[in-house]
């Protein structure tokens, strides 16, 4: 399907894209900009800069993804040379610190995704990729076995989610499904997720396997609010992430026993906990153990973003419809998705123009939904979101867009260069909007 962005939007997006890419091409300039005095953020645990060398969220790998896409779209412009500089800076950093994890967003597979993006379809950096893959293959069996052992009473969100866990890891491995050992690892991860989807007993009641007990909740605030644990409903950290991987793997021809049953089981649970307001279906962030037992949602939190809220959940259910060739699931996903745009934008819970918790993630999700469905109403909403993104461009901002972080009654304007909360993500979405090739960079968000 053609993307049908109008001429004025295409021109302006291209102008902004070129400016953003130019600002990000020099690693030293990026480091100086994000570490500028006054650019620290404080989310309650002390001030820090939003930059981590090895992170796909806000480090060198995020910019490598951008420069790899720039090279594909503008092959004679030398963007691959700038990508090499970022990849070299990443290598130098890893040589000093080592890897902190295997994860796609902050570990060894962050670097692998960066190298893959700059590899010109496998023509370059193959030796580096082979080393990274072997490192992963040497380390993952013990870690996955521990995750399987934890399934009964010690599940951790970070084990199965998109950002730190096996869902994100599995999505990278699916890009490498022709590699026999990596495919075997992917199938073992899918088996783990099938096990995760099965019921278990907690405090005398039968509950889904992705219940996270209080001791393993990520934030102290969550431990207080959910003293008996919770079931996370967000695409970034909850069960929609594993559901998306199971579905995407299925329609890419990678399946293990019980996979389709797991897909149906998780989907039916999400539909069971769907809420309805004046505008249509939506999902809260989490379900408490007590609420699950009573069949009620005791705390409603609302956001219309990728990380939490209806757009991310609806996208995962649409992917289920593709995997199972089930039109009912697809239509439910479209209905839920369109309900977002019936709600006043003031209650979307979106302040920032960035991907994770902001307007950009909603835009990319909407673009994907339009490309898949051809629904004209979705296209109209996408085009309005494009205009909003253009309007948030700020010539005075160091990188032309701020990540806007709500802080109680105030907002913090913060310069971020990365993919998850920064301008590398903005530039990547703009490339996808104005160029006809179908990229795989947004696979890391488990939406494609």
């Amino acid at each position: 399907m053609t993307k049908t962005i109008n001429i004025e939007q295409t021109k302006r997006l291209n102008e902004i894209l070129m400016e953003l890419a130019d600002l990000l091409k020099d690693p030293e300039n990026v480091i100086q900009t994000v570490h500028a005095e006054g650019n620290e953020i404080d989310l309650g645990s002390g001030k820090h800069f939003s930059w981590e060398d090895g992170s796909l969220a806000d480090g060198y790998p995020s910019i490598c993804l951008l420069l790899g896409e720039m090279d594909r779209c503008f092959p004679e412009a030398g963007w691959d040379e700038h990508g090499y500089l970022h990849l070299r800076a990443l290598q130098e950093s890893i040589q000093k610190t080592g890897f902190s994890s295997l994860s796609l967003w902050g570990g060894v597979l962050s670097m692998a995704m960066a190298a893959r993006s700059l590899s010109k379809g496998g023509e370059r950096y193959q030796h580096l990729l082979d080393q990274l893959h072997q490192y992963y293959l040497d380390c993952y069996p013990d870690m996955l076995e521990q995750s399987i052992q934890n399934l009964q009473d010690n599940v951790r969100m970070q084990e199965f989610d998109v950002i730190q866990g096996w869902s994100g890891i599995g999505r990278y491995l699916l890009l490498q499904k022709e590699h026999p050992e990596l495919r075997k690892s992917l199938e073992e991860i899918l088996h783990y997720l099938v096990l995760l989807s099965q019921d278990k007993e907690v405090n005398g009641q039968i509950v889904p396997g992705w219940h996270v007990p209080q001791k393993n909740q990520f934030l102290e605030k969550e431990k207080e609010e959910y003293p008996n644990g919770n079931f996370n409903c967000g695409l970034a950290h909850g069960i929609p992430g594993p559901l998306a991987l199971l579905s995407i793997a299925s329609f890419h021809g990678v399946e293990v026993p019980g996979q389709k049953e797991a897909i149906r089981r998780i989907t039916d649970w999400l539909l069971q906990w769907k809420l309805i307001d004046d505008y249509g279906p939506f999902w809260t962030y989490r379900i408490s153990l007590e609420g699950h037992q009573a069949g009620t949602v005791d705390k409603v939190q609302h956001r219309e973003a990728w990380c939490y809220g209806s757009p991310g959940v609806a996208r995962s259910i649409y992917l289920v419809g593709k995997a199972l060739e089930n039109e009912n699931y697809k239509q439910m996903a479209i209905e839920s998705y369109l309900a977002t745009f019936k709600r006043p934008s003031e209650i979307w819970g979106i302040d920032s123009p960035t991907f994770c918790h902001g307007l950009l993630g909603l835009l990319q999700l909407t673009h994907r939904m339009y490309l898949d469905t051809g629904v004209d109403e979705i296209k109209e909403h996408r085009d309005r979101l494009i205009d909003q993104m253009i309007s948030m461009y700020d010539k005075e901002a160091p990188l032309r867009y701020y990540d806007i972080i709500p802080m109680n009654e105030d907002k913090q304007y913060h310069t971020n260069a990365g993919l998850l909360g920064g301008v590398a993500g903005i530039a990547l979405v703009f490339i996808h909007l104005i160029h006809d090739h179908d990229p795989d960079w947004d696979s890391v968000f488990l939406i494609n």
Side-chain angles (χ1 to χ4, degrees):
M1 178 178 296
T2 58
K3 299 178 181 179
T4 61
I5 305 296
N6 69 48
I7 294 173
E8 292 79 11
Q9 286 177 328
T10 299
K11 179 182 177 182
R12 187 62 184 133
L13 290 178
N14 192 67
E15 290 171 350
I16 298 173
L17 166 63
M18 290 303 179
E19 187 174 6
L20 297 182
D22 192 61
L23 288 168
L24 294 175
K25 68 184 182 183
D26 180 359
E28 292 186 9
N29 180 63
V30 171
I31 294 296
Q32 290 174 5
T33 302
V34 297
H35 289 89
E37 184 177 355
N39 197 45
E40 304 96 327
I41 59 172
D42 187 351
L43 301 178
S45 57
K47 291 185 176 182
H48 67 280
F49 294 102
S50 285
W51 179 267
E52 185 178 345
D53 287 355
S55 171
L56 185 61
D58 52 16
Y60 292 117
S62 60
I63 302 176
C64 289
L65 258 66
L66 169 61
L67 296 174
E69 285 298 304
M70 292 295 290
D71 182 56
R72 273 184 280 280
C73 294
F74 310 101
E76 306 302 323
W79 293 107
D80 57 332
E81 298 173 14
H82 298 295
Y84 166 75
L85 295 178
H86 281 273
L87 188 60
R88 186 177 68 183
L90 172 60
Q91 285 181 284
E92 291 172 353
S93 175
I94 295 300
Q95 286 170 356
K96 295 176 183 176
T97 64
F99 292 111
S100 60
S101 74
L102 298 183
S103 78
L104 175 59
W105 282 89
V108 62
L109 294 188
S110 283
M111 188 171 185
M113 191 69 191
R116 182 183 184 278
S117 297
L118 291 166
S119 71
K120 290 185 176 289
E123 295 177 9
R124 296 181 178 177
Y125 306 124
Q126 196 56 54
H127 179 64
L128 173 60
L129 281 166
D130 288 344
Q131 289 180 310
L132 294 169
H133 292 161
Q134 191 58 53
Y135 183 98
Y136 167 82
L137 290 167
D138 289 342
C139 295
Y140 91 87
D142 290 343
M143 295 180 62
L144 185 56
E145 179 58 34
Q146 185 60 59
S147 294
I148 292 172
Q149 291 178 17
N150 289 343
L151 283 172
Q152 183 52 43
D153 59 6
N154 200 28
V155 170
R156 301 171 190 272
M157 177 193 78
Q158 305 95 302
E159 291 178 311
F160 64 77
D161 77 353
V162 171
I163 300 298
Q164 299 181 68
W166 295 111
S167 294
I169 290 171
R171 187 61 187 93
Y172 174 81
L173 298 180
L174 187 58
L175 295 173
Q176 305 285 345
K177 67 177 182 177
E178 304 307 320
H179 186 300
E181 292 177 282
L182 295 179
R183 182 176 178 125
K184 176 177 177 290
S185 176
L186 170 59
E187 291 171 350
E188 291 172 1
I189 290 169
L190 295 174
H191 172 67
Y192 160 74
L193 296 179
V194 169
L195 296 177
L196 178 74
S197 77
Q198 296 173 356
D199 288 344
K200 64 184 179 183
E201 184 176 329
V202 176
N203 294 350
Q205 61 174 295
I206 302 301
V207 301
W210 58 90
H211 170 266
V212 174
Q214 183 201 34
K215 64 180 179 178
N216 289 341
Q217 292 176 105
F218 192 61
L219 301 173
E220 289 302 319
K221 181 180 178 183
E222 287 178 34
K223 293 180 181 180
E224 296 173 6
E225 293 177 347
Y226 301 96
N228 291 301
N230 73 81
F231 306 85
N232 194 303
C233 301
L235 178 54
H237 297 298
I239 198 58
L243 177 62
L245 177 61
L246 289 164
S247 300
I248 296 167
S250 182
F251 61 70
H252 280 285
V254 183
E255 288 194 2
V256 298
Q259 186 165 329
K260 281 193 165 64
E261 291 81 0
I263 291 170
R264 292 189 186 94
R265 191 157 48 241
I266 296 169
T267 305
D268 290 345
W269 184 90
L270 284 169
L271 294 178
Q272 174 190 346
W273 290 99
K274 173 188 67 181
L275 301 172
I276 304 289
D277 64 8
D278 292 340
Y279 310 101
F282 73 99
W283 283 266
T284 189
Y285 291 10
R286 300 173 186 86
I287 307 296
S288 69
L289 183 65
E290 298 86 350
H292 195 276
Q293 185 174 21
T296 60
V297 176
D298 47 19
K299 183 171 184 178
V300 177
Q301 296 169 290
H302 201 97
R303 180 178 279 171
E304 301 289 344
W306 167 76
C307 56
Y308 284 98
S310 300
V313 179
R315 180 61 182 173
S316 71
I317 293 173
Y318 188 84
L319 294 171
V320 169
K322 289 179 67 175
L324 301 183
E325 299 181 345
N326 185 309
E327 293 302 317
N328 290 333
Y329 284 145
K330 287 183 181 180
Q331 288 305 311
M332 173 54 68
I334 293 170
E335 177 189 350
S336 301
Y337 204 83
L338 288 173
T340 287
F341 298 101
K342 297 175 184 177
R343 295 185 183 95
S345 58
E346 292 79 11
I347 65 172
W348 283 2
I350 290 179
D351 296 289
S352 181
T354 52
F355 203 107
C356 178
H357 49 271
L359 198 67
L360 186 74
L362 180 58
L363 171 55
Q364 182 65 8
L365 280 161
T366 306
H367 187 46
R368 280 289 180 193
M369 288 294 284
Y370 170 62
L371 293 178
D372 280 351
T373 67
V375 174
D376 288 338
E377 188 177 351
I378 295 178
K379 175 186 176 297
E380 292 168 7
H381 294 307
R382 180 205 65 183
D383 291 348
R384 281 193 286 272
L385 291 171
I386 292 172
D387 288 337
Q388 286 181 258
M389 283 298 303
I390 291 172
S391 73
M392 297 181 83
Y393 169 89
D394 184 348
K395 185 67 176 178
E396 302 304 314
L399 295 177
R400 306 302 181 256
Y401 284 90
Y402 287 110
D403 184 18
I404 304 173
I405 304 171
M407 300 292 291
N408 299 320
E409 300 301 317
D410 201 5
K411 294 179 182 178
Q412 187 171 359
Y413 289 75
H414 172 67
T415 298
N416 187 314
L419 174 61
L420 201 61
V423 296
I426 293 173
L428 279 162
V429 171
F430 287 4
I431 294 175
H432 191 201
L433 289 166
I434 61 182
H435 288 271
D436 281 334
H437 81 284
D438 190 31
D440 58 29
W441 64 263
D442 65 344
S443 65
V444 302
F445 292 98
L446 274 289
I447 63 174
N448 179 45

